[in-house]
Amino acid sequence: MPEINKSNDQLLQDIHNSQAKPTCSECGTYEPWGLSSWCPKCGYYPALGKCVGQTELEDQVEIKPQPQTVWEIIPEWGWILGFGTIAAIGLSIGARYYCSSAAELCLWTITQATVGFLMFMIAHMIVYLNAVSKSVEFGILSIFLTPLKIWGPTVRRFPAGAWKLDMAVWGLTLFISAFAIVGGFEFNSLFKDWGVRKSANVNLVATIVDQAKNAEGDGADNLEEALDDFAGGSEETPDKMAEKAAAAAGAAGGALPEPEPEKEPEETATAPLQEYDCLLLGYSALPNGKIDSVLIASSYNKKLVYAGYIIGSDLPEDIRKEWESRLPELRQKKPFVKNKQVATWIKPRITLKVAAEGWNEHSRRLIKPQFVSLLQEISVD
């Protein structure tokens, strides 16, 4: 009997000792393991020296701070895309104010639209090839039928590959802005004067050359003297000629050439305008140097004759300013073609195309000549 009591006391002591120590050295639990070789609470396995099965579940995910301002909400690639788009629009606005003619606007529009279209298509093709390499559902027609769908694989990889979206959006912006902002796209302006002037017709040039040769045959020492001899008139200096022109302009109340009395035929309707190639003979200017009128000559029955004048205010502004600085350098004492007008005469260099209702058979002058365009300059030296 004493032995049984002693055994019971030993068993109770063992139970007490086992309960006093934790069953798991990893998590310190007193929960019994039963027949398991690992802790039922944390999965600690003493034989391996680590927790098994629950390690990944117990790892805490790092919590990132939430963005608070717009600068943090928009990603970096979004800012790059936005600034590039604004720059493309700004470029179009600058081109609109920089180009001064319809031809320049047309050229800029075509160039910008072409560059924008190529940028968009290159980016679109790269995205298409990337989509085809990842899925068999895309075909060649997907480029046109489902353009947004083929961008799916690229967009899902953002921010990697964001430069493709940048190129496409910037190119599309350039293309649209070329027509919507730059504007001025006129097909007719493609065929206007781009700085390459046409030559005067053969008849006018031949008439000028023949007249110069005839003047040379009069025994003059040089071409300028020959032209002076051919033109005839008093040997007045340029200053005297200018004083005479100013006096005549003051007497007439203006600087326009003095018209000669002529008998105009009766006209029942306005005649259609015809174009004629002419030579610039001289000009009259106001005291401030502004051109008041220019005198012209043209070929009439294969002979170079004085054909009338064009009022300075009817000339294009750029042409008038160019002539105001250029014509004084070409001044000579006498007119290349004999006439009774008073003006500052210039050497036979500048040719131009004019439009008129035709020739007046009585005065042998063009009826209401109007400036059309400049032609190539000539030289008879």
Side-chain angles (χ1 to χ4, degrees):
M1 192 69 180
E3 294 179 359
I4 296 176
N5 292 334
K6 186 177 180 179
S7 298
N8 292 336
D9 293 338
Q10 184 66 34
L11 180 60
L12 292 174
Q13 183 67 29
D14 294 340
I15 294 174
H16 176 74
N17 292 338
S18 63
Q19 291 179 351
K21 298 180 181 180
T23 57
C24 179
S25 60
E26 184 70 19
C27 63
T29 182
Y30 291 92
E31 182 179 350
W33 291 9
L35 299 179
S36 300
S37 300
W38 58 86
C39 176
K41 184 176 181 180
C42 67
Y44 178 70
Y45 194 66
L48 299 178
K50 64 178 182 179
C51 297
V52 179
Q54 299 182 6
T55 307
E56 294 80 7
L57 297 178
E58 292 183 357
D59 290 339
Q60 294 183 353
V61 179
E62 181 181 0
I63 300 176
K64 297 182 180 180
Q66 296 296 321
Q68 301 296 326
T69 64
V70 65
W71 302 101
E72 298 175 346
I73 295 175
I74 300 178
E76 181 180 356
W77 63 267
W79 287 110
I80 296 175
L81 177 64
F83 285 131
T85 304
I86 294 174
I89 296 175
L91 177 67
S92 302
I93 296 175
R96 176 66 181 178
Y97 289 95
Y98 173 79
C99 298
S100 58
S101 65
E104 291 180 355
L105 280 174
C106 181
L107 180 61
W108 189 291
T109 301
I110 293 176
T111 303
Q112 178 174 318
T114 302
V115 172
F117 179 76
L118 290 177
M119 289 177 61
F120 175 79
M121 288 306 300
I122 291 174
H124 196 57
M125 288 300 300
I126 294 175
V127 170
Y128 165 74
L129 295 176
N130 178 67
V132 170
S133 65
K134 296 182 180 300
S135 176
V136 296
E137 64 175 319
F138 299 109
I140 188 63
L141 294 180
S142 299
I143 300 176
F144 310 100
L145 299 180
T146 56
L148 297 179
K149 190 175 181 180
I150 63 177
W151 279 83
T154 299
V155 173
R156 285 192 289 269
R157 296 181 61 247
F158 273 15
W163 62 269
K164 303 171 189 175
L165 181 64
D166 295 341
M167 181 183 292
V169 173
W170 295 345
L172 193 61
T173 303
L174 288 173
F175 181 81
I176 296 175
S177 299
F179 298 99
I181 298 178
V182 179
F185 190 81
E186 300 177 3
F187 287 99
N188 292 335
S189 64
L190 290 173
F191 308 99
K192 293 181 180 179
D193 183 12
W194 286 56
V196 180
R197 297 171 180 171
K198 299 179 181 179
S199 302
N201 62 46
V202 178
N203 292 334
L204 177 64
V205 176
T207 304
I208 295 173
V209 173
D210 290 342
Q211 186 156 322
K213 288 181 178 179
N214 292 334
E216 287 178 341
D218 293 337
D221 294 335
N222 53 56
L223 178 60
E224 183 175 351
E225 293 180 358
L227 296 178
D228 292 342
D229 293 340
F230 178 82
S234 61
E235 293 293 335
E236 296 179 331
T237 63
D239 294 336
K240 291 182 178 180
M241 290 292 293
E243 293 176 0
K244 185 176 179 182
L256 293 177
E258 185 177 329
E260 298 178 355
E262 55 185 44
K263 183 180 179 181
E264 296 287 349
E266 296 182 358
E267 298 182 4
T268 58
T270 302
L273 296 180
Q274 303 177 33
E275 292 187 347
Y276 301 89
D277 290 358
C278 299
L279 173 70
L280 192 63
L281 289 180
Y283 66 97
S284 60
L286 299 175
N288 60 3
K290 184 177 181 180
I291 290 181
D292 192 44
S293 65
V294 293
L295 287 73
I296 57 176
S298 188
S299 178
Y300 181 79
N301 292 334
K302 298 183 180 181
K303 183 179 180 181
L304 197 62
V305 298
Y306 170 68
Y309 64 88
I310 302 175
I311 300 176
S313 58
D314 292 340
L315 296 172
E317 186 69 14
D318 57 334
I319 299 298
R320 183 179 60 78
K321 290 183 177 180
E322 177 185 344
W323 283 356
E324 287 174 358
S325 60
R326 175 78 193 287
L327 297 186
E329 301 175 357
L330 301 176
R331 189 171 60 177
Q332 66 178 18
K333 293 185 292 185
K334 300 174 184 178
F336 184 65
V337 177
K338 289 182 179 180
N339 64 85
K340 299 179 180 179
Q341 305 299 324
V342 177
T344 301
W345 308 111
I346 64 172
K347 297 177 182 179
R349 294 287 189 275
I350 300 175
T351 59
L352 63 154
K353 187 180 291 292
V354 303
E357 297 178 5
W359 285 96
N360 186 311
E361 299 297 336
H362 298 278
S363 62
R364 293 193 303 177
R365 294 186 186 180
L366 292 173
I367 302 173
K368 300 178 181 178
Q370 304 173 19
F371 178 87
V372 175
S373 65
L374 280 179
L375 301 175
Q376 287 184 357
E377 293 190 10
I378 61 174
S379 176
V380 293
D381 294 338

